[in-house]
Amino acid sequence: MPRLLAALLTVAAAAVLAVGAALGIVALLDATPEQPNTPLITYETAGQER
């Protein structure tokens, strides 16, 4: 019986760790990096003033 209990506790702990890791990965992928709002390329038009 103690072996069965140890096996069940191990399975439960592994499942909790797997769910925690999955939620952590999703949280990291959902995080958006801070990006500046400045264009790298600008195009001049005929009516544009400088």
Side-chain angles (χ1 to χ4, degrees), residues 2-49:
R3 275 188 161 178
L4 181 61
L5 181 61
L8 289 176
L9 288 175
T10 303
V11 168
V16 168
L17 285 175
V19 169
L23 291 176
I25 290 171
V26 168
L28 284 176
L29 290 175
D30 195 30
T32 56
E34 193 174 315
Q35 297 176 354
N37 194 15
T38 55
L40 296 176
I41 300 172
T42 56
Y43 297 99
E44 293 186 20
T45 59
Q48 185 179 16
E49 295 181 12

